Amino acid sequence: TIHNYQFRNESLQDIPLAYFSKAGPFGQTFEAARARYPEMRVAVVGLGAGALACYADGTGGFTFYEIDPLVEKIARDPSHFSYLSRCAPDAPVVIGDARLAFAAERKQGAPKFDLIIIDAFSSDSIPAHLITREALALYRDRLNDDGVILFHTSNRYLDVNSVALRIAAGANLGARVIRFNPESDGPSAKFVTTTTAVIVGRADVIEAMAAGR
């Protein structure tokens, strides 16, 4: 499973590729969310190469949650990937299990988020504890009332969409599947990946964001 790329050309290094392209679910969600939350606070579970840092625009703040300290080391090393160092060098990376970190922050009364992204399901072995009814309840506790959760559900082996939709329905929340198939031509087409995601939140919020309100 290829999780990410980055252009070597310095003038292009801020462009998110692979699953994270601006034309795909991540770009669509950030565009809709930024219009709704002017001082948007974002939590990202799963740092990877750090491409999502390049959706930061200087308002609000990004916090990344990553279970593997070696992943942070790679993402912060510009000789490997420079997304984080170029786009959000001051963004904190919380090392450890995100569910435990969220639970600790809830007890401490930490500020809540407008957008929580769960990006941990694209390999053949997924952390199932991050997509359960209990996990969703915890995410909602860390979310502002009109905030949303984006589950990145791209997976060649498992149907993650149906699980996300089921737990959303069980919590009486709205949900939409976002599917993206990249164009077959263009200079960066081979570096952009077919992507699926499920956005979850209050039904009225999901409908408003889908309608561009």
Side-chain angles (χ1 to χ4, degrees), residues 91-109:
V93 178
V94 178
I95 298 297
D97 187 291
R99 277 187 60 166
L100 298 178
F102 277 7
E105 291 171 353
R106 177 179 59 185
K107 290 180 180 178
Q108 296 162 5

Side-chain angles (χ1 to χ4, degrees), residues 96-199:
D97 187 291
R99 277 187 60 166
L100 298 178
F102 277 7
E105 291 171 353
R106 177 179 59 185
K107 290 180 180 178
Q108 296 162 5
K112 295 188 175 185
F113 298 103
D114 301 299
L115 171 63
I116 296 176
I117 295 173
I118 312 297
D119 178 28
F121 306 123
S122 54
S123 294
D124 58 347
S125 178
I126 67 170
H129 70 292
L130 294 179
I131 190 166
T132 62
R133 289 174 296 181
E134 294 80 8
L136 180 59
L138 182 58
Y139 304 151
R140 293 179 70 191
D141 280 344
R142 295 293 297 121
L143 200 67
N144 288 319
D145 181 58
D146 66 341
V148 295
I149 304 157
L150 185 71
F151 291 96
H152 179 202
T153 55
S154 302
N155 194 292
R156 292 181 296 163
Y157 307 97
L158 303 170
D159 177 10
V160 186
N161 281 340
S162 64
V163 180
L165 291 171
R166 189 173 303 151
I167 64 172
N172 295 315
L173 294 173
R176 279 181 175 250
V177 177
I178 308 172
R179 293 184 173 88
F180 170 69
N181 292 306
E183 297 179 359
S184 58
D185 55 3
S188 62
K190 64 181 179 180
F191 301 114
V192 176
T193 309
T194 298
T195 311
T196 59
V198 177
I199 189 167

Side-chain angles (χ1 to χ4, degrees), residues 1-2 8-9 40 51 65 70 97 105 115 163 169 180 199 211:
T1 299
I2 295 174
R8 293 181 180 273
N9 186 320
M40 182 167 58
Y65 297 80
L70 291 178
D97 187 291
E105 291 171 353
L115 171 63
V163 180
F180 170 69
I199 189 167

Side-chain angles (χ1 to χ4, degrees), residues 55-98:
Y55 284 101
D57 64 354
T59 62
F62 274 53
T63 302
F64 292 90
Y65 297 80
E66 173 56 52
I67 199 167
D68 188 345
L70 291 178
V71 171
E72 181 187 9
K73 184 177 180 181
I74 292 170
R76 288 198 183 279
D77 184 348
S79 69
H80 295 302
F81 293 97
S82 62
Y83 289 121
L84 198 57
S85 60
R86 290 173 65 93
C87 298
D90 298 325
V93 178
V94 178
I95 298 297
D97 187 291

